[in-house]
Amino acid sequence: QWYQRRVAITAGGARHPDMPKKVTDAFILTCNVSLEYEKSEVNSGFFYKSADEREKLVKAERAFCDDKVQQIIDLKRELVGDSDKGFVVVNQKGVDPNSLDALAREGIVALRRAKRRNMERIVLACGGTAVNCFDELKPEQLGHAGLFYEHVLGDDKYSFIEECDNPQSVTILIKGPNKHTITQIKDAVRDGLRAVKNAIEDQMVVPGAGAFEIAIYQALQEYKNEVRGKQRLGVQAYADAMLIIPKCLAQNGGHDAQECLVKMLQEYKGVDKCVGLDLETGEAMYPAEAGIWDNYCVKKQLLNSATVISSNLLIVDEVMRAGMSSLKG
């Protein structure tokens, strides 16, 4: 349901009271162009001899911004004309009051000082390209959205862009009674999205609900019969370590860990399927049929990391044992 809304959100709303608060079938212009007078980066000043010269300097300074605003207005008139279509300008830099007045008279919605990450997402959601100059402004550089409107959430004002044609970016809006709840929901959403991303990249999944670990345990038990010497103890220890995850699942579900473990091992021997644990009933179940899966890369990293850490700990023990024996000698 979140993704079906196809929403891009940018903080703030229109910066002029006469601008429309809601437009439909809107063209979206994303730009990074200053529409206000900016001081030069070096120390400079204007020197004039008369009031007429001063007026000329002020008009030339004003014309620098007015020309860029007029280019936006000309494009809007060309595309929209007398129809009910909207036109929205999302600018990463500032827009001065005179420019806002000119845009408002034409029914153009202007958002200023938008964050860079919002600019990038709006382009992905609505299409078009972000422009840095209005000299060669073309209709192909504009995006499109079916609906644009302002909405107040709490004390903050947001602009919603919806009904995009082919969105490649969306916004998930999370609401909660307090910051702690919002943080928990945010973490859960991020974990879910990451799991989907891993499954797409791996192009494979493994059965969940502890079935993967049960299968490894049984495979190691069979492999142990082929090993001679004290290496059998290492294989057995590794197999027993695999059962930690099924035991934790049973304990977290409020069931007896040993009883659940016995049920899963017995069920696994009788069928040629991966067997996991049903946390609701505490009985053995088939996770593949229930649609319970784990990420392949997560299990792979788990086995690799656990083996490396265990080997390093054993090496430390050997070094300490060798040091103690040398001190006794």
Side-chain angles (χ1 to χ4, degrees), residues 96-168:
D96 61 16
N98 292 332
S99 299
L100 289 174
D101 286 336
L103 295 173
R105 285 194 296 269
E106 295 292 329
I108 299 175
V109 183
L111 307 179
R112 64 183 181 184
R113 305 196 188 283
K115 295 181 180 180
R116 180 178 178 181
R117 64 174 182 270
N118 284 330
M119 297 282 291
E120 295 172 349
R121 292 169 182 169
I122 290 174
V123 171
L124 292 173
C126 303
T129 56
V131 297
N132 297 316
C133 179
F134 292 153
D135 292 340
E136 297 181 357
L137 198 57
K138 301 177 182 178
E140 294 77 14
Q141 296 173 323
L142 303 182
H144 181 269
L147 177 63
F148 172 91
Y149 64 95
E150 295 181 10
H151 187 65
V152 178
L153 297 174
D155 297 330
D156 298 323
K157 184 185 293 184
Y158 293 87
S159 298
F160 287 71
I161 303 175
E162 299 187 4
E163 300 178 11
C164 303
D165 297 331
N166 184 27
Q168 302 298 319

Side-chain angles (χ1 to χ4, degrees), residues 195-206:
V196 174
K197 173 181 177 292
N198 291 338
I200 294 174
E201 292 180 348
D202 294 336
Q203 293 295 312
M204 64 182 69
V205 290
V206 296

